[in-house]
């Protein structure tokens, strides 16, 4: 046992799934930064050499071999007498494949620990690709016994109890830990307090920050001392390398000296920052030069444009107005003002000529049938084709602008306004869209590249939403008021409540049945929707997985 302070650097970094050499270089840079601050050990997030979640990539032997080579190279570099490293990555042993951490020091791997608790719920399916490791014991590092854990291992008491009982002096958990609204206060912090109370040990939670397809990882790494105080909290949605200093307290326990404690982000800023980071990394890591989107003068496209500019900068965002004979002058004015406020290029491509061409082409087939939703959907599909053509021609990814209320009820046109490569509003209900617009007009988040001040005219927020596919159309002609609709949808989707249960809670039963039927019928559309940022606890796609062909009506609880 040594009484010299132990300096542990927390490397809250942004890995790129599959870019093994890039990730190794980022770990090297974090180690160099930490070494300059006198660190003894640098801890990196779960599966940091490969990015997380790696999914079926880890089944490819060539990929695993590259991860092993880079981990070995990083290990060899620790012979320089600088800080040790904790690197996450695969570990193949005895015919089993583990999600593991590798403790590197003195030029080699001095210990490995495999993840014991493999999550297999919600967005996780690690049991498909990994084997569970045994309960780990502590790792000895420069005279200290460190209780190293991988993510889910600290969600249950068994691993931390084993580590404490076998002599660990400090618990360190490396994590992916995808974002959900208020997850820090609601889930992570109470759970960490529980582990500290159970073991009497200090606790380190280290997480990555990045966007990875539908998932966003917010970081917000923190430290709890044995007395349950929080001396360190890293900012959410930002890369940081911070050195923590651990010495023995009056009771002989390792405790962390006070350091930076970031401000907790309010709910709307969390959601907005998650959308920004998700889009930024999706576009950047997939090599798109920028994004393109249709700007209608409505609230969804206005918010999507603002997020795009904040994520990428105005020079990488291009908007298009696609007016029809039903587009109001107000909408054109509002779209143009959004573009001006954001400083982005906005082209105008009227779709009237295409509507006439399709009318002439289909007229002999349709005969005397009166116009109906077919002609409305045709307008949306004309816009989709036009936007995709511009995306193909200029290279920018088409950004979809639909929100969760629309995707829940099927109030969207497949192969029309659902066209695109990514959607920032996919898991955001319409009522939150209104709140986010008001918030962004009044605040510029730290993560933003866009302008300060209002990013859309007030009229965009206050006017009744409309698809403008026929004269005097309003969303509420087809849908219940959004306050009522979103409350019902939250009960059906996030809470999996039945119709009778929601009716008993005060909702009109007929309205609940109507909403449930729309939700049920729209599953086939959602299966063909682009990926989008997961915000809440039950996102479509990776979280909520319902069959398309489904005979269950669900009209009773």
């Amino acid at each position: 046992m040594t009484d010299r302070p132990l300096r542990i650097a927390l490397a809250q970094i942004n890995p790129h799934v599959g870019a093994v050499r890039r990730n190794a270089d980022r770990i090297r840079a974090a180690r160099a930064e930490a070494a300059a601050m006198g660190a003894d050990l640098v801890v990196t997030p779960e599966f940091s050499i490969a990015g997380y979640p790696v999914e079926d990539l880890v089944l490819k032997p060539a990929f695993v071999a590259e991860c092993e080579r880079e981990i070995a190279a990083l290990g060899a570099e620790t012979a320089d007498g600088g800080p040790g490293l904790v690197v996450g990555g695969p570990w193949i042993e005895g015919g089993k494949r583990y999600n593991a951490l590798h403790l590197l020091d003195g030029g080699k791997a001095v210990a490995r620990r495999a993840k014991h608790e493999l999550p297999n719920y919600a967005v996780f399916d690690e049991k498909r690709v990994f084997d569970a490791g045994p309960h780990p014991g502590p790792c000895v590092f420069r005279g200290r016994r460190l209780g190293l854990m991988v993510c889910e291992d600290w969600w249950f008491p068994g691993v931390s109890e084993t580590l404490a009982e076998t002599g660990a002096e400090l618990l360190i958990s490396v994590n992916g830990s995808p974002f959900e609204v208020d997850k820090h206060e609601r889930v992570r912090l109470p759970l960490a307090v529980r582990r500290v109370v159970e073991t009497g040990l200090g606790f380190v939670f280290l997480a990555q920050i990045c966007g990875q397809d539908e998932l966003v990882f917010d970081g917000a790494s923190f430290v709890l001392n044995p007395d349950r105080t929080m001396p360190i909290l890293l900012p959410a949605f930002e890369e940081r390398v911070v050195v923590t200093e651990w010495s023995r307290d009056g009771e002989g326990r390792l405790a962390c000296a006070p350091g930076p404690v970031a401000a907790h982000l309010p709910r709307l800023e969390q959601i907005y920052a998650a959308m920004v980071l998700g889009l930024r990394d999706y576009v950047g890591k997939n090599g798109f030069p920028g994004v393109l989107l249709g700007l209608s003068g409505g609230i969804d496209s206005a918010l999507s444009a603002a997020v795009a500019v904040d994520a990428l900068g105005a020079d990488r965002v291009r908007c298009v107005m696609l007016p029809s004979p039903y587009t109001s002058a107000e909408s054109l004015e509002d779209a143009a003002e959004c573009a001006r406020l954001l400083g982005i290029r906005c082209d105008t491509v009227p779709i009237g000529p295409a509507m006439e061409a399709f009318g002439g082409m289909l007229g002999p087939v349709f005969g005397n049938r009166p116009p109906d939703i077919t002609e409305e959907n045709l307008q949306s599909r004309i816009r989709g084709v036009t936007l995709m053509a511009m995306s193909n021609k200029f290279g920018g990814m088409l950004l979809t602008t639909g929100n969760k209320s629309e995707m829940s009820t099927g109030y969207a046109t497949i192969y029309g306004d659902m066209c695109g490569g990514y959607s920032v509003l996919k898991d955001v209900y319409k009522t939150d869209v209104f709140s986010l617009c008001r918030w962004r007009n009044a605040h510029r988040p730290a993560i933003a590249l866009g302008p300060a001040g209002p990013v859309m005219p007030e009229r965009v927020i206050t006017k009744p939403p409309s698809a403008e596919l026929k004269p005097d159309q309003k969303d509420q002609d087809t849908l219940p008021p959004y306050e009522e609709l979103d409350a019902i949808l939250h009960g059906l989707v996030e809470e999996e409540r039945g119709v009778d249960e929601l009716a008993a809670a005060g909702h009109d039963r007929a309205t609940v049945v109507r909403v449930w039927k729309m939700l049920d019928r729209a599953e086939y559309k959602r299966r063909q929707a682009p990926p989008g940022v997961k915000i809440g606890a039950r996102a479509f796609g990776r979280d909520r997985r319902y069959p398309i062909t489904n005979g269950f009506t669900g009209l009773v609880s």
Side-chain angles (χ1 to χ4, degrees):
M1 182 182 293
T2 177
D3 290 327
R4 186 181 71 82
L6 179 65
R7 296 172 64 80
I8 301 175
L10 308 185
Q12 181 174 288
I13 58 176
N14 185 335
H16 182 167
V17 166
V20 179
R21 177 64 62 85
R22 174 198 175 280
N23 294 335
D25 287 342
R26 182 66 188 93
I27 292 168
R28 287 186 178 94
R31 181 173 182 261
E33 184 179 348
M37 295 185 283
D40 300 303
L41 178 66
V42 182
V43 183
T44 67
E46 179 178 12
F47 235 74
S48 54
I49 198 66
Y52 182 87
V54 74
E55 301 187 81
D56 285 6
L57 265 179
V58 79
L59 302 179
K60 192 175 288 295
F63 175 75
V64 173
E66 185 174 351
C67 292
E68 291 173 336
R69 284 193 300 271
E70 291 298 334
I71 291 172
L74 288 167
E77 291 166 21
T78 62
D80 63 5
L85 275 172
V86 174
V87 177
W91 177 24
I92 310 296
E93 185 174 79
K96 294 188 175 182
R97 183 188 305 107
Y98 299 116
N99 177 346
L101 55 81
H102 305 254
L103 178 58
L104 313 175
D105 194 33
K108 62 183 179 181
V110 297
R112 295 182 177 90
R113 292 294 183 267
K115 190 172 186 176
H116 175 70
E117 301 283 358
L118 299 180
N120 211 56
Y121 57 88
V123 302
F124 305 105
D125 50 10
E126 288 196 23
K127 290 183 179 180
R128 289 184 66 249
V129 295
F130 292 116
D131 295 288
H135 272 209
C139 299
V140 178
F141 176 78
R142 302 185 185 181
R144 302 295 170 82
R145 295 173 64 83
L146 305 180
L148 299 175
M149 301 181 284
V150 183
C151 199
E152 196 82 1
D153 287 346
W154 74 281
W155 284 63
F156 301 93
V159 170
S160 56
E161 286 179 1
T162 298
L163 289 167
E165 289 168 0
T166 52
E169 300 174 85
L170 172 65
L171 300 177
I172 301 175
S173 176
V174 298
N175 299 264
S177 194
F179 167 78
E180 291 177 12
V181 176
D182 288 332
K183 192 173 185 179
H184 176 75
E185 257 75 13
R186 183 171 47 85
V187 179
R188 293 173 185 152
L189 192 55
L191 195 59
V193 168
R194 193 179 308 167
R195 297 291 92 90
V196 169
V197 170
E198 291 166 352
T199 63
L201 300 176
F203 178 83
V204 175
F205 169 88
L206 174 71
Q208 67 180 5
I209 72 112
C210 70
Q212 174 57 30
D213 298 341
E214 299 100 323
L215 302 180
V216 169
F217 297 83
D218 57 316
S221 306
F222 63 90
V223 171
L224 287 185
N225 272 327
D227 63 2
R228 291 170 283 172
T229 57
M230 183 190 294
I232 304 282
L233 173 62
L234 275 59
F237 305 105
E238 297 179 32
E239 287 195 287
R240 282 288 192 280
V241 177
V242 171
V243 174
T244 64
E245 185 169 298
W246 296 81
S247 304
R248 299 201 180 278
D249 64 13
E251 299 180 30
R253 305 170 301 183
L254 283 179
C256 181
V261 177
H264 175 67
L265 300 183
R267 177 178 179 272
L268 291 176
E269 186 168 1
Q270 291 177 46
I271 296 172
Y272 196 90
M275 294 191 295
V276 168
L277 180 58
L279 180 63
R280 180 179 293 164
D281 275 7
Y282 192 83
V283 170
K285 292 177 180 179
N286 284 297
F288 292 106
V291 297
L292 170 80
L293 70 153
L295 196 59
S296 67
I299 194 168
D300 295 323
S301 64
L303 180 58
S304 297
V307 171
V309 171
D310 284 334
L312 307 172
D315 59 331
R316 298 178 66 193
V317 180
R318 183 173 184 171
C319 290
V320 189
M321 293 189 288
L322 299 149
S324 79
Y326 306 119
T327 303
S328 68
E330 271 189 4
S331 292
L332 293 173
E333 293 167 5
D334 291 342
E337 181 63 5
C338 283
R340 187 191 70 79
L341 289 168
L342 291 167
I344 52 178
R345 174 175 177 172
C346 190
D347 300 295
T348 301
V349 180
I351 67 167
M355 292 170 62
E356 292 175 8
F358 272 103
M361 183 177 73
L362 293 170
V365 180
F366 287 173
N368 295 324
R369 291 174 179 264
D372 55 18
I373 196 171
T374 306
E375 284 74 18
E376 295 180 36
N377 287 339
L378 187 56
Q379 294 172 58
S380 183
R381 291 181 177 126
I382 290 169
R383 290 185 171 113
V385 168
T386 305
L387 289 166
M388 284 305 305
M390 294 185 69
S391 174
N392 291 161
K393 184 63 70 175
F394 302 112
M397 183 195 74
L398 177 58
L399 188 63
T400 312
T401 61
N403 61 69
K404 190 170 187 176
S405 305
E406 294 173 347
M407 293 308 302
S408 298
T409 56
Y411 192 62
T413 304
I414 195 166
Y415 321 125
D417 56 341
M418 288 175 62
C419 283
Y422 201 71
S423 173
V424 294
L425 302 184
K426 185 176 181 178
D427 200 29
V428 179
Y429 286 116
K430 188 77 168 192
T431 46
D432 280 332
V433 169
F434 285 106
S435 298
L436 286 162
C437 289
R438 293 188 181 95
W439 181 87
R440 180 58 183 92
N441 265 359
H443 303 85
R444 182 182 183 269
I447 196 174
L449 300 177
V455 294
M456 66 188 73
E458 181 67 17
R459 187 168 62 184
V460 166
I461 304 172
T462 58
K463 67 184 178 183
S466 170
E468 293 191 326
L469 298 174
K470 61 182 180 181
D472 300 319
Q473 185 181 30
K474 299 291 184 291
D475 288 6
Q476 308 299 237
D477 299 338
T478 303
L479 300 173
Y482 279 115
E483 292 79 5
E484 181 181 8
L485 173 64
D486 288 356
I488 293 171
L489 287 171
H490 193 276
L492 292 171
V493 176
E494 274 76 12
E495 300 172 17
E496 290 289 2
R497 299 173 78 181
V499 171
D500 287 348
E501 189 177 359
L502 288 169
H507 296 288
D508 175 68
R509 192 180 193 282
T511 303
V512 176
V513 169
R514 177 180 162 217
V515 171
W516 164 254
K517 288 181 176 179
M518 288 190 287
L519 175 68
D520 184 52
R521 284 196 298 262
E523 188 62 39
Y524 81 99
K525 290 186 178 183
R526 290 189 290 271
R527 288 286 187 95
Q528 299 180 67
V533 182
K534 171 180 162 61
I535 297 296
R538 197 85 164 120
F540 292 126
R542 293 189 70 122
D543 274 322
R544 187 183 188 273
R545 308 180 194 182
Y546 267 57
I548 297 172
T549 305
N550 176 14
F552 177 70
T553 63
L555 297 183
V556 293
S557 299

